[in-house]
Amino acid sequence: CSYAGASQYTVNTSCSYQTFNKPGSFGADMNPTGCSGSNNDDAFGWFTATGTSTTITYNPDDSHNAIIHLFSGACGSLSNLACADANGNGGNETITYATTIGTNYLVRVQRSGTNSSMDGRLCIWSVPPPPANDDPCGATALTLGSSCTFTSYSNVGATGTSGIPAPGCGSYFGEDVWFSFVAPASGAVAIRTTAGSITNLSMALYSATACNGTFTLVQCDANNGPGNM
Protein backbone atom coordinates (compact mmCIF):
# COMPACT_ATOMS: atom_id res chain seq x y z
CA CYS A 1 0.00 0.00 0.00
CA SER A 2 1.67 3.18 -1.21
CA TYR A 3 1.25 6.10 -3.57
CA ALA A 4 4.63 5.53 -5.21
CA GLY A 5 5.13 6.93 -8.67
CA ALA A 6 5.86 3.53 -10.19
CA SER A 7 2.41 2.24 -9.23
CA GLN A 8 0.44 5.26 -10.49
CA TYR A 9 -2.06 4.53 -13.27
CA THR A 10 -3.25 6.97 -15.92
CA VAL A 11 -6.90 7.97 -16.00
CA ASN A 12 -8.04 7.89 -19.63
CA THR A 13 -11.26 9.07 -21.29
CA SER A 14 -12.18 5.48 -22.23
CA CYS A 15 -11.07 2.03 -21.10
CA SER A 16 -7.42 1.72 -22.15
CA TYR A 17 -5.81 -1.27 -20.44
CA GLN A 18 -2.47 -1.03 -18.61
CA THR A 19 -0.59 -4.09 -17.34
CA PHE A 20 -1.35 -5.02 -13.73
CA ASN A 21 0.19 -8.27 -12.43
CA LYS A 22 0.16 -9.81 -8.94
CA PRO A 23 3.21 -12.09 -8.64
CA GLY A 24 3.08 -15.15 -6.39
CA SER A 25 5.94 -13.65 -4.37
CA PHE A 26 3.75 -10.82 -3.07
CA GLY A 27 2.45 -10.89 0.51
CA ALA A 28 -0.88 -10.00 2.10
CA ASP A 29 -1.18 -6.40 3.29
CA MET A 30 -4.89 -6.08 4.03
CA ASN A 31 -8.01 -8.05 4.93
CA PRO A 32 -10.77 -5.78 3.58
CA THR A 33 -14.47 -6.27 4.12
CA GLY A 34 -16.93 -6.72 1.28
CA CYS A 35 -16.94 -8.74 -1.95
CA SER A 36 -15.33 -11.82 -0.36
CA GLY A 37 -12.15 -9.85 0.37
CA SER A 38 -9.60 -11.75 2.44
CA ASN A 39 -6.01 -11.55 3.69
CA ASN A 40 -4.65 -13.26 0.60
CA ASP A 41 -1.69 -11.79 -1.27
CA ASP A 42 -2.56 -8.47 -2.89
CA ALA A 43 -1.22 -5.82 -5.26
CA PHE A 44 -1.90 -2.08 -5.39
CA GLY A 45 -2.13 0.74 -7.88
CA TRP A 46 -3.39 4.29 -7.54
CA PHE A 47 -4.69 7.19 -9.57
CA THR A 48 -5.60 10.84 -9.26
CA ALA A 49 -9.24 11.47 -10.20
CA THR A 50 -9.80 13.71 -13.21
CA GLY A 51 -13.61 13.62 -13.16
CA THR A 52 -16.58 13.32 -10.88
CA SER A 53 -17.18 9.69 -11.83
CA THR A 54 -14.42 7.13 -12.41
CA THR A 55 -14.65 3.53 -13.67
CA ILE A 56 -12.03 0.92 -12.73
CA THR A 57 -11.97 -2.45 -14.55
CA TYR A 58 -9.63 -5.39 -13.90
CA ASN A 59 -9.31 -8.02 -16.64
CA PRO A 60 -7.57 -11.21 -15.36
CA ASP A 61 -5.71 -13.79 -17.44
CA ASP A 62 -6.23 -17.57 -17.46
CA SER A 63 -9.78 -17.70 -16.04
CA HIS A 64 -8.58 -16.41 -12.68
CA ASN A 65 -11.07 -14.90 -10.24
CA ALA A 66 -10.16 -11.34 -9.29
CA ILE A 67 -11.47 -9.21 -6.44
CA ILE A 68 -10.91 -5.46 -6.48
CA HIS A 69 -11.36 -2.83 -3.76
CA LEU A 70 -11.21 0.96 -3.97
CA PHE A 71 -9.83 3.08 -1.12
CA SER A 72 -9.06 6.70 -0.35
CA GLY A 73 -6.92 8.26 2.36
CA ALA A 74 -3.46 7.55 3.71
CA CYS A 75 -2.01 4.07 4.07
CA GLY A 76 -2.75 2.90 7.60
CA SER A 77 -6.05 4.81 7.73
CA LEU A 78 -7.70 4.01 4.42
CA SER A 79 -11.43 4.35 3.80
CA ASN A 80 -12.97 1.33 2.07
CA LEU A 81 -15.15 2.92 -0.65
CA ALA A 82 -16.29 0.16 -2.99
CA CYS A 83 -15.48 -3.33 -4.21
CA ALA A 84 -16.33 -5.84 -6.95
CA ASP A 85 -16.44 -9.64 -7.12
CA ALA A 86 -19.38 -10.37 -9.38
CA ASN A 87 -18.22 -12.30 -12.43
CA GLY A 88 -16.28 -15.36 -11.26
CA ASN A 89 -13.43 -17.12 -13.04
CA GLY A 90 -12.08 -15.12 -15.96
CA GLY A 91 -14.65 -12.36 -15.61
CA ASN A 92 -13.85 -8.67 -15.57
CA GLU A 93 -14.51 -6.87 -12.30
CA THR A 94 -15.66 -3.24 -12.47
CA ILE A 95 -16.19 -0.43 -9.99
CA THR A 96 -17.79 2.90 -10.93
CA TYR A 97 -17.50 5.47 -8.15
CA ALA A 98 -18.31 9.16 -7.65
CA THR A 99 -14.79 10.56 -7.31
CA THR A 100 -13.48 13.98 -6.33
CA ILE A 101 -11.26 15.68 -8.92
CA GLY A 102 -7.65 15.92 -7.70
CA THR A 103 -8.06 13.27 -4.98
CA ASN A 104 -5.81 10.19 -4.92
CA TYR A 105 -7.47 6.76 -4.83
CA LEU A 106 -5.93 3.35 -4.18
CA VAL A 107 -6.95 0.16 -6.00
CA ARG A 108 -6.33 -3.23 -4.33
CA VAL A 109 -6.38 -6.42 -6.43
CA GLN A 110 -6.31 -9.96 -5.05
CA ARG A 111 -6.98 -13.41 -6.48
CA SER A 112 -9.98 -14.98 -4.79
CA GLY A 113 -9.11 -17.51 -2.09
CA THR A 114 -5.48 -18.10 -3.06
CA ASN A 115 -2.01 -16.59 -2.89
CA SER A 116 -1.09 -17.82 -6.38
CA SER A 117 0.01 -15.35 -9.02
CA MET A 118 -2.48 -13.54 -11.25
CA ASP A 119 -1.61 -11.52 -14.34
CA GLY A 120 -3.98 -9.13 -16.02
CA ARG A 121 -4.78 -5.60 -17.05
CA LEU A 122 -6.29 -2.58 -15.32
CA CYS A 123 -8.11 0.31 -16.98
CA ILE A 124 -9.15 3.48 -15.19
CA TRP A 125 -11.24 6.00 -17.07
CA SER A 126 -13.45 9.01 -16.60
CA VAL A 127 -15.73 10.59 -19.18
CA PRO A 128 -14.95 14.33 -19.30
CA PRO A 129 -17.82 16.80 -18.95
CA PRO A 130 -19.32 17.99 -22.23
CA PRO A 131 -17.90 21.19 -23.75
CA ALA A 132 -19.77 24.47 -23.37
CA ASN A 133 -20.95 24.31 -27.00
CA ASP A 134 -22.30 20.76 -26.73
CA ASP A 135 -25.83 21.95 -27.57
CA PRO A 136 -27.18 24.64 -29.95
CA CYS A 137 -28.14 27.06 -27.17
CA GLY A 138 -24.52 27.00 -26.01
CA ALA A 139 -23.13 27.46 -29.53
CA THR A 140 -19.84 29.32 -29.81
CA ALA A 141 -20.49 32.62 -31.59
CA LEU A 142 -18.11 33.13 -34.52
CA THR A 143 -17.02 36.53 -35.78
CA LEU A 144 -16.84 36.66 -39.56
CA GLY A 145 -13.59 37.96 -41.01
CA SER A 146 -12.36 38.86 -44.45
CA SER A 147 -9.89 35.93 -44.56
CA CYS A 148 -9.54 32.46 -43.06
CA THR A 149 -8.03 32.39 -39.56
CA PHE A 150 -8.23 29.02 -37.82
CA THR A 151 -9.05 28.74 -34.11
CA SER A 152 -8.75 25.45 -32.19
CA TYR A 153 -11.78 23.79 -30.61
CA SER A 154 -12.49 20.35 -29.17
CA ASN A 155 -15.32 17.81 -29.18
CA VAL A 156 -13.96 15.83 -26.19
CA GLY A 157 -16.90 14.79 -24.03
CA ALA A 158 -19.47 15.96 -26.57
CA THR A 159 -22.86 14.27 -26.75
CA GLY A 160 -25.42 13.91 -29.50
CA THR A 161 -28.17 16.49 -30.03
CA SER A 162 -31.71 15.23 -30.47
CA GLY A 163 -34.56 16.87 -32.37
CA ILE A 164 -32.36 18.28 -35.17
CA PRO A 165 -32.71 17.15 -38.82
CA ALA A 166 -30.09 14.51 -39.60
CA PRO A 167 -27.01 15.99 -41.32
CA GLY A 168 -27.31 13.69 -44.34
CA CYS A 169 -23.59 13.05 -44.68
CA GLY A 170 -20.60 11.96 -42.65
CA SER A 171 -22.21 8.84 -41.11
CA TYR A 172 -23.40 10.86 -38.12
CA PHE A 173 -23.86 8.91 -34.87
CA GLY A 174 -23.64 11.65 -32.23
CA GLU A 175 -21.01 13.66 -30.37
CA ASP A 176 -21.51 17.03 -32.04
CA VAL A 177 -20.51 20.57 -31.08
CA TRP A 178 -22.15 23.79 -32.26
CA PHE A 179 -21.14 27.20 -33.58
CA SER A 180 -23.23 30.17 -34.69
CA PHE A 181 -22.88 33.26 -36.85
CA VAL A 182 -25.09 35.93 -38.37
CA ALA A 183 -24.92 35.97 -42.15
CA PRO A 184 -23.62 39.21 -43.76
CA ALA A 185 -25.73 41.26 -46.15
CA SER A 186 -24.13 39.52 -49.13
CA GLY A 187 -25.07 36.10 -47.78
CA ALA A 188 -21.66 34.77 -48.85
CA VAL A 189 -19.84 32.79 -46.16
CA ALA A 190 -17.01 30.22 -46.41
CA ILE A 191 -16.64 27.78 -43.51
CA ARG A 192 -13.43 25.75 -43.41
CA THR A 193 -11.80 23.20 -41.11
CA THR A 194 -8.30 21.80 -40.86
CA ALA A 195 -7.02 18.65 -39.20
CA GLY A 196 -6.03 18.55 -35.54
CA SER A 197 -6.32 15.37 -33.50
CA ILE A 198 -9.53 14.87 -35.49
CA THR A 199 -8.34 13.90 -38.96
CA ASN A 200 -11.66 13.11 -40.59
CA LEU A 201 -14.65 15.25 -39.65
CA SER A 202 -17.91 16.39 -41.15
CA MET A 203 -20.02 19.49 -40.64
CA ALA A 204 -23.55 20.62 -41.39
CA LEU A 205 -24.99 24.12 -41.78
CA TYR A 206 -28.46 24.94 -40.49
CA SER A 207 -30.60 28.03 -40.49
CA ALA A 208 -32.54 28.50 -37.27
CA THR A 209 -35.23 30.80 -35.93
CA ALA A 210 -33.88 30.33 -32.38
CA CYS A 211 -31.23 28.27 -30.60
CA ASN A 212 -33.87 25.68 -29.68
CA GLY A 213 -35.34 25.52 -33.19
CA THR A 214 -36.80 25.41 -35.72
CA PHE A 215 -33.73 24.10 -37.63
CA THR A 216 -33.53 23.77 -41.40
CA LEU A 217 -30.64 21.85 -42.95
CA VAL A 218 -28.88 24.03 -45.55
CA GLN A 219 -25.88 21.91 -46.50
CA CYS A 220 -23.75 19.02 -45.23
CA ASP A 221 -20.15 18.31 -46.17
CA ALA A 222 -17.92 15.31 -45.34
CA ASN A 223 -14.82 15.69 -47.53
CA ASN A 224 -14.80 18.59 -49.98
CA GLY A 225 -11.77 20.19 -48.32
CA PRO A 226 -8.08 19.16 -48.40
CA GLY A 227 -7.67 15.52 -47.35
CA ASN A 228 -10.81 14.65 -45.41
CA MET A 229 -11.59 18.21 -44.31
Side-chain angles (χ1 to χ4, degrees):
C1 173
S2 74
Y3 293 97
S7 58
Q8 183 177 10
Y9 281 74
T10 301
V11 180
N12 292 295
T13 56
S14 61
C15 184
S16 179
Y17 282 113
Q18 304 163 74
T19 299
F20 190 110
N21 297 333
K22 188 205 73 65
S25 59
F26 277 20
D29 293 282
M30 298 179 66
N31 187 12
T33 58
C35 302
S36 302
S38 61
N39 62 343
N40 290 105
D41 295 354
D42 44 26
F44 294 85
W46 66 279
F47 64 93
T48 301
T50 61
T52 56
S53 178
T54 303
T55 299
I56 305 103
T57 297
Y58 187 76
N59 171 231
D61 288 342
D62 302 322
S63 296
H64 292 158
N65 187 355
I67 301 173
I68 60 175
H69 282 77
L70 179 68
F71 301 90
S72 66
C75 292
S77 59
L78 292 170
S79 296
N80 190 342
L81 304 176
C83 61
D85 179 30
N87 294 311
N89 294 335
N92 289 2
E93 298 298 344
T94 297
I95 294 171
T96 298
Y97 190 79
T99 48
T100 301
I101 297 173
T103 297
N104 294 334
Y105 293 87
L106 193 72
V107 181
R108 177 188 186 267
V109 178
Q110 72 166 92
R111 186 173 168 185
S112 180
T114 179
N115 293 324
S116 298
S117 64
M118 178 174 64
D119 292 346
R121 290 147 298 282
L122 185 73
C123 76
I124 303 173
W125 57 285
S126 182
V127 177
N133 61 339
D134 186 47
D135 292 314
C137 285
T140 299
L142 300 177
T143 301
L144 301 184
S146 58
S147 62
C148 182
T149 302
F150 288 113
T151 303
S152 295
Y153 296 96
S154 174
N155 72 338
V156 173
T159 61
T161 303
S162 60
I164 308 295
C169 72
S171 302
Y172 175 78
F173 61 91
E175 300 183 4
D176 49 44
V177 289
W178 291 84
F179 303 86
S180 67
F181 64 88
V182 177
S186 67
V189 176
I191 308 166
R192 298 178 181 174
T193 64
T194 188
S197 58
I198 303 176
T199 57
N200 186 359
L201 59 78
S202 302
M203 62 179 174
L205 178 67
Y206 298 84
S207 62
T209 55
C211 70
N212 58 354
T214 302
F215 287 80
T216 301
L217 179 65
V218 176
Q219 187 173 353
C220 185
D221 178 59
N223 57 4
N224 281 341
N228 287 318
M229 297 296 103

